[in-house]
Amino acid sequence: MGLALDFTKLAARRDSFVVSVQGNPAGSSVYALESRAGGWTVRENTSIMGGMMVQTTTLDTDASLAPTVLAQTMTMQGQVMKTDVTFAAGRAKGSATTPTQTGPQSKAIDIAIPAGTIDSDALQGVLPLFRWAADAKFTLNLFSAGKGTVEPITLTVVGSESVTVPAGTFETWKVEQKGGEAGATLFISKDAAHRLVKIAPAGQPIELLLAK
């Protein structure tokens, strides 16, 4: 992938999160990384506000977590939006439907994918593979199906913090994610597992808190 990743830490995992809006529980999100012949499968299921927004994602990757097939369905207030993208020969091709102020909008996707690019849905699976430290800073290319673009993001450790979530209290690296579709502050456990403990998207009253 062209990144300084420790693939000895790549392993199947399943993390469950509470979705918190303005400090109140408002939904759940489950992220799973599953091993399969020749690669990995990412599965994500999110439900917010009693099902007002439901998103289901299946992303197949090769052994290095480079994307091969993405299928995503989002239902928002009864409107169904689908994304289907295949990755081959250095290109991503398919279509994506995203919400806009005037209703769902579909777009065709056909763009070059530089070597080392990962899909945004695989980022959580990649995080434990970085060599986190007090001065760590990483840049990688991220494919966003919603925007139909590949953009660099930067992950920078800006401090340490003790974080309490439903799964317990963790000593974490506080990491700023900048660039790409949206910025966020990530809290990644300092232990060998480097679990994503908390996600705080920039400028939004929403957080994802590790539940188990």
Side-chain angles (χ1 to χ4, degrees):
M1 295 181 62
L3 296 171
L5 301 177
D6 183 359
F7 279 94
T8 65
K9 293 185 177 181
L10 184 56
R13 61 193 304 143
R14 179 184 176 91
D15 293 321
S16 298
F17 295 85
V18 172
V19 179
S20 175
V21 177
Q22 295 181 333
N24 299 307
S28 63
S29 183
V30 177
Y31 186 96
L33 180 63
E34 303 170 356
S35 178
R36 60 177 176 77
W40 298 85
T41 296
V42 173
R43 301 187 191 279
E44 173 259 339
N45 293 278
T46 300
S47 178
I48 301 175
M49 302 298 288
M52 288 183 64
M53 195 288 282
V54 177
Q55 179 172 283
T56 302
T57 304
T58 302
L59 171 68
D60 288 340
T61 77
D62 66 13
S64 66
L65 295 179
T68 56
V69 180
L70 170 66
Q72 187 174 74
T73 300
M74 176 190 291
T75 303
M76 183 176 294
Q77 296 181 334
Q79 295 181 323
V80 180
M81 291 157 279
K82 292 187 177 182
T83 296
D84 293 286
V85 182
T86 57
F87 303 81
R91 297 195 71 83
K93 296 183 179 182
S95 63
T97 303
T98 56
T100 69
Q101 291 183 344
T102 58
Q105 183 176 16
S106 296
K107 67 174 72 176
I109 296 172
D110 185 357
I111 64 168
I113 301 293
T117 300
I118 67 168
D119 185 275
S120 59
D121 297 290
L123 180 60
Q124 186 172 330
V126 171
L127 291 175
L129 311 186
F130 286 109
R131 293 173 171 85
W132 296 104
D135 58 351
K137 183 176 182 178
F138 308 103
T139 299
L140 65 156
N141 285 329
L142 211 62
F143 170 75
S144 166
K147 295 176 66 177
T149 59
V150 174
E151 296 178 304
I153 68 164
T154 301
L155 303 169
T156 306
V157 174
V158 296
S160 299
E161 193 167 317
S162 181
V163 175
T164 299
V165 293
T169 298
F170 297 81
E171 296 304 315
T172 70
W173 296 115
K174 184 178 180 181
V175 178
E176 284 190 355
Q177 176 187 325
K178 293 186 176 180
E181 195 163 5
T185 302
L186 313 177
F187 296 84
I188 299 169
S189 68
K190 288 186 174 183
D191 60 19
H194 291 324
R195 297 182 76 187
L196 184 56
V197 172
K198 178 179 173 182
I199 309 169
Q204 299 184 34
I206 187 172
E207 294 180 329
L208 274 71
L209 311 174
L210 184 66
K212 62 179 181 179

